[in-house]
Amino acid sequence: MGAPPYEEKETCGTICLKYLLFTFNFLFWLAGGVVMAVGIWTLVEKSDYISLLSSATYAISAYILILAGAIVMVTGVLGCCATFKEQRKLLRVYFVLLLCIFLLEILAGILAYIYYQQLNEELQQNLKRTMVEKYQQPGHEDITKAVDKLQQEFKCCGINQSSDWDANQFIHPKEADNSVVQAKKVVPDSCCKTQTKHCGYRDHPSNIYKVEGGCITKLENFILDQLKIIGAVAVGIACVQIVGMVFTCSLYRSLKAEPY
């Protein structure tokens, strides 16, 4: 007489776990879309600035998020199927995928944190060389586009100040022809508050941006904000996955214990 209540209790527990796991998988599927969207937005929205960085860590972190988000969405559907079909093999596959995604997102979070620590040093060492040596040079059109966009979007001029452009060969060629145009060239036109052709001939605060800290501070703050978002999303979703893995293990053990 004691067996039926026990079986009924187990069945009720299994049903509750199934619906909890189904709800989790639906939210998890939505979260996967968010993770993937953040990764794509990071690469597409400000992709030009990636060319100004010597390290690929920033881009790799975003690619990891895109990959993890895509796997999350597929895993969410698999989790729903495994839950309602009550197939322990599918639940095992689902758990392994959750674990893999968890590790990927933790990796993205760690990379974002590490890069966060070394970003200032990298920019100080490489951004000036990139802007001075590669701006308006053949084969570096992406750098030129990125620098112009950086100065216009963040309303800045030069790495630390507008005089940084004195070392650029395009602005001040080593073999200048002493023409009027070359003699008057001071900064790129993208430094101008109102950008027009040849507007960079006049180095005056009323004409060009004079921002304390220059473009390096603006770019660093922008990337740091992006890294915070990448790290927070990756670690946040990874923590949520722990709940999913606990639910999966509980349902697996519950199905294993039930009599068939």
Side-chain angles (χ1 to χ4, degrees):
M1 295 293 293
Y6 174 77
E7 291 177 8
E8 184 178 348
K9 183 179 179 182
E10 284 292 308
T11 302
C12 180
T14 301
I15 291 173
C16 289
L17 281 171
K18 282 172 59 178
Y19 280 100
L20 280 172
L21 192 55
F22 177 80
T23 303
F24 168 83
N25 277 305
F26 177 72
L27 296 175
F28 191 50
W29 181 82
L30 292 177
V34 172
V35 170
M36 190 161 57
V38 169
I40 293 173
W41 173 72
T42 301
L43 290 176
V44 174
E45 183 69 15
K46 306 296 181 182
S47 60
D48 291 331
Y49 299 147
I50 294 176
S51 64
L52 299 177
L53 305 174
S54 61
S55 171
T57 308
Y58 178 68
I60 289 173
S61 298
Y63 281 122
I64 289 176
L65 278 189
I66 294 173
L67 176 62
I71 298 175
V72 162
M73 297 187 76
V74 174
T75 302
V77 175
L78 176 63
C80 291
C81 294
T83 300
F84 278 97
K85 289 188 177 182
E86 299 185 1
Q87 293 185 5
R88 292 197 293 270
K89 288 183 179 179
L90 278 179
L91 284 174
R92 285 199 294 268
V93 173
Y94 173 66
F95 180 85
V96 170
L97 285 174
L98 277 182
L99 184 60
C100 290
I101 299 166
F102 174 81
L103 295 175
L104 272 177
E105 288 173 339
I106 289 295
L107 176 60
I110 291 173
L111 285 175
Y113 176 78
I114 292 173
Y115 195 55
Y116 185 94
Q117 302 300 313
Q118 66 184 37
L119 178 63
N120 180 267
E121 183 179 353
E122 178 187 321
L123 288 178
Q124 292 287 353
Q125 291 178 352
N126 298 289
L127 187 58
K128 186 170 185 177
R129 179 176 57 82
T130 297
M131 291 177 72
V132 168
E133 296 179 4
K134 298 180 180 179
Y135 182 80
Q136 287 289 5
Q137 298 303 309
H140 296 294
E141 289 77 13
D142 57 332
I143 298 293
T144 300
K145 179 183 176 183
V147 171
D148 286 338
K149 182 178 179 180
L150 174 67
Q151 294 190 139
Q152 277 292 298
E153 186 166 330
F154 291 120
K155 299 180 178 5
C156 58
C157 183
I159 300 90
N160 296 294
Q161 53 193 355
S162 59
S163 61
D164 291 330
W165 284 110
D166 292 346
N168 181 261
Q169 188 174 351
F170 172 74
I171 305 297
H172 297 284
K174 294 179 180 178
E175 299 179 359
D177 59 7
N178 295 321
S179 66
V180 176
V181 174
Q182 291 293 350
K184 290 185 177 180
K185 193 69 175 178
V186 181
V187 295
D189 293 342
S190 57
C191 280
C192 299
K193 294 179 179 179
T194 302
Q195 188 175 355
T196 57
K197 190 174 182 180
H198 303 317
C199 65
Y201 290 177
R202 192 166 65 92
D203 183 12
H204 190 275
S206 64
N207 183 49
I208 69 170
Y209 294 113
K210 296 279 190 178
V211 179
E212 185 178 351
C215 291
I216 191 170
T217 301
K218 296 282 189 177
L219 181 60
E220 181 182 6
N221 290 337
F222 165 76
I223 295 177
L224 288 178
D225 288 341
Q226 301 305 300
L227 290 174
K228 287 177 185 177
I229 294 173
I230 290 174
V233 168
V235 174
I237 298 298
C239 290
V240 171
Q241 285 176 241
I242 295 175
V243 178
M245 287 188 281
V246 171
F247 283 160
T248 304
C249 288
S250 300
L251 179 59
Y252 181 85
R253 295 179 67 179
S254 178
L255 290 174
K256 191 173 182 179
E258 282 189 3
Y260 288 96

